Amino acid sequence: MVVELRRSGVELVVPPTSTVLEALERNGFAVPSMCRAGVCGACEHRPLAIETTPVARGNRPATEPVRLCVTTAGTVTRLVLDL
């Protein structure tokens, strides 16, 4: 999965074994988080854009928030965040 950080002008490749939150932290981006299980919502962000595989019902609307601690490569192929 590719994560584009629009405000920072950075693109990160998230390996299949990592979450978006882990990839952001490894690259020096501090994102609020607490439970790391997708329950508390502390890491929730509303993406500017999101692309998914055709199996995942086409492209999801960008208005649906995502929880970065549980978002991994798979059905999401590209995620654009305002970070």
Side-chain angles (χ1 to χ4, degrees):
M1 167 192 342
V2 174
V3 177
E4 177 187 339
L5 307 176
R6 182 74 48 91
R7 199 173 344 141
S8 302
V10 173
E11 273 196 2
L12 302 174
V13 175
V14 180
T17 57
S18 293
T19 66
V20 172
L21 178 62
E22 292 166 342
L24 289 168
E25 290 174 336
R26 266 196 310 276
N27 286 278
F29 291 91
V31 177
S33 63
M34 289 176 58
C35 73
R36 296 185 177 263
V39 176
C40 73
C43 67
E44 189 170 272
H45 279 314
R46 192 168 300 279
L48 299 174
I50 189 167
E51 295 174 13
T52 59
T53 62
V55 175
R57 69 187 158 100
N59 289 343
R60 280 174 33 161
T63 57
E64 291 183 38
V66 294
R67 294 189 178 183
L68 303 179
C69 69
V70 293
T71 302
T72 60
T75 58
V76 176
T77 57
R78 183 174 187 80
L79 187 63
V80 181
L81 300 172
D82 186 27
L83 292 175

